[in-house]
């Protein structure tokens, strides 16, 4: 089993001594735990890992930023409850306000490795805490410094966008722009959005979407006698209008439980697809893990389009 090294920057590590009181201010510990299972897929050994965030301070933690950097012979195959800000930096999603002594273990990733010594380094970058009450003077404190666009490494087709205090890289060019003529085109969705409008048969008029799912080949294992399976979701714009929002309808049969998911939120709205899926394009970056033997059904619950009515 690969070893995941955890390095915490700007955070006090509690090792051999017993902590009797929380540290004053904004402090967290980030830990990574292996699920002690792996499988083979596309020539890689893939294994899931869970990220655990613990509030050891006296203030409510509202946001946590971290980085996950694979070694040269490893890559991130999948993440859940981690909003990608660039290739290696992430914001922990769906954590809510984490009270003192509270912990959150809903985020994680699947690491694919090609050699026995490959792994990944997970680093804590910063935390933002509530600034009310007793934390008014220290609640803005961040361990490791405030996370800004200067922390990100956007590639040549992306620019850093910061709205609501959340910097992230977003595609704005179809290809790397020339330094002498940096003209823009329509925004791309994400690296997982593919395809182009059909030239042989026109798309359906209006707002139309197709949602499909498939069990990932090689993405199954047995944990404590329970079958686990990864499912990948593909959302395709089959209409003539850009899609700006999709809500999934996911039904599980008796005995099945969703243990992890990525790129849709707790209300099943699609996330991290670049804000728009253009006619003829597909987004295949969402998915989930199911434990148990019940059936799985995924469909379009609702959608919204721009430039025309639903």
């Amino acid at each position: 089993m690969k070893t995941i090294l955890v390095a915490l920057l700007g955070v006090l590590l509690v090792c051999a001594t017993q902590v009797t009181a929380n540290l004053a201010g904004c402090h967290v510990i980030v830990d990574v735990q292996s699920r002690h299972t792996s499988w083979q897929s596309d020539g890689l050994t893939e294994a899931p890992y869970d990220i655990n965030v613990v509030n050891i301070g006296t203030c409510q933690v509202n946001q946590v930023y971290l980085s996950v950097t694979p070694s040269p012979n490893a890559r991130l195959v999948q993440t859940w409850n981690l909003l990608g800000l660039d290739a290696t930096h992430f914001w922990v999603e769906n954590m809510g306000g984490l009270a003192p002594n509270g912990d959150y273990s809903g985020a994680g990733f699947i690491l694919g490795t090609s050699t026995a010594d490959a792994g990944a380094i997970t680093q804590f970058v910063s935390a933002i805490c509530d600034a009310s009450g007793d934390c008014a003077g220290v609640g803005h404190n961040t361990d490791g410094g405030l996370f800004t666009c200067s922390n990100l490494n956007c590639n040549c087709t992306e620019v850093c966008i910061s709205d609501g205090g959340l910097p992230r890289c977003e595609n704005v060019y179809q290809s790397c722009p020339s330094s002498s003529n940096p003209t823009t085109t329509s925004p791309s969705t994400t690296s997982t959005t593919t395809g182009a409008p059909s030239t042989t048969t026109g798309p359906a008029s209006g707002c139309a979407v197709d949602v499909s799912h498939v069990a990932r080949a090689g993405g199954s294992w047995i944990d404590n006698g329970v079958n686990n399976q990864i499912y990948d979701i593909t959302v395709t714009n089959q209409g003539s209008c850009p899609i700006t929002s999709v809500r999934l309808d996911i039904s599980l049969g008796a005995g099945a439980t969703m243990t992890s998911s990525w790129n849709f939120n707790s209300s099943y709205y699609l996330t991290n697809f670049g804000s728009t899926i253009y006619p003829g394009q597909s987004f295949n970056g969402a998915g989930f893990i199911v434990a148990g033997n019940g059936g799985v059904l995924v469909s379009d619950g609702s959608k919204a389009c721009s430039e025309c009515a639903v």
Side-chain angles (χ1 to χ4, degrees):
M1 182 61 61
K2 310 301 178 295
T3 300
I4 299 297
L5 303 176
V6 181
L8 306 181
L9 303 182
V11 181
L12 178 63
L13 282 175
V14 181
C15 298
T17 59
Q18 179 72 28
V19 178
T20 58
N22 283 25
L23 300 175
C26 190
H27 299 276
V28 302
I29 286 179
V30 177
D31 189 21
V32 176
Q33 299 291 331
S34 169
R35 292 193 184 181
H36 301 293
T37 187
S38 64
W39 59 90
Q40 298 295 316
S41 179
D42 296 329
L44 296 176
T45 299
E46 297 183 358
Y49 295 88
D50 294 304
I51 296 174
N52 189 41
V53 179
V54 182
N55 184 351
I56 62 169
T58 56
C59 301
Q60 175 177 294
V61 177
N62 294 331
Q63 293 180 351
V64 170
Y65 298 90
L66 51 81
S67 66
V68 182
T69 307
S71 64
N73 294 318
R75 65 182 177 90
L76 290 178
V77 176
Q78 203 73 67
T79 64
W80 51 89
N81 287 329
L82 294 175
L83 175 61
L85 307 177
D86 65 6
T88 59
H89 289 92
F90 300 88
W91 172 43
V92 179
E93 288 191 296
N94 300 320
M95 185 180 68
L98 195 62
N101 297 316
D103 66 273
Y104 174 74
S105 57
F109 56 89
I110 295 175
L111 186 70
T113 59
S114 58
T115 60
D117 58 348
I121 297 177
T122 300
Q123 294 180 310
F124 169 80
V125 177
S126 67
I128 298 178
C129 287
D130 185 63
S132 61
D134 294 337
C135 292
V138 297
H140 292 95
N141 290 358
T142 58
D143 295 315
L146 186 63
F147 197 80
T148 67
C149 280
S150 63
N151 297 106
L152 299 180
N153 297 308
C154 300
N155 64 40
C156 61
T157 64
E158 301 172 325
V159 296
C160 184
I161 296 176
S162 180
D163 52 4
L166 180 62
R168 63 192 183 278
C169 295
E170 284 198 359
N171 288 323
V172 296
Y173 302 108
Q174 296 287 2
S175 59
C176 293
S178 167
S179 58
S180 60
N181 185 26
T183 57
T184 64
T185 60
S186 298
S188 173
T189 53
T190 69
S191 59
T192 56
T193 302
T194 59
S198 172
T199 58
T200 56
T201 58
S205 61
C207 191
V209 64
D210 177 72
V211 177
S212 62
H213 72 287
V214 62
R216 183 181 298 180
S220 63
W221 67 95
I222 297 178
D223 186 11
N224 292 325
V226 178
N227 291 323
N228 290 260
Q229 175 66 57
I230 301 174
Y231 290 91
D232 294 305
I233 298 172
T234 298
V235 178
T236 302
N237 185 343
Q238 294 186 327
S240 58
C241 300
I243 292 175
T244 56
S245 174
V246 175
R247 184 179 184 274
L248 304 171
D249 186 357
I250 302 178
S251 301
L252 302 180
T257 303
M258 187 184 303
T259 59
S260 301
S261 63
W262 47 92
N263 290 337
F264 60 87
N265 61 26
S266 58
S267 297
Y268 295 94
Y269 280 97
L270 206 65
T271 61
N272 302 332
F273 60 93
S275 76
T276 304
I277 304 175
Y278 292 96
Q281 291 185 322
S282 296
F283 175 72
N284 57 7
F288 53 95
I289 299 176
V290 170
N293 296 318
V296 177
L297 178 63
V298 183
S299 61
D300 163 34
S302 63
K303 55 189 174 294
C305 289
S306 63
E307 303 176 13
C308 63
V310 174

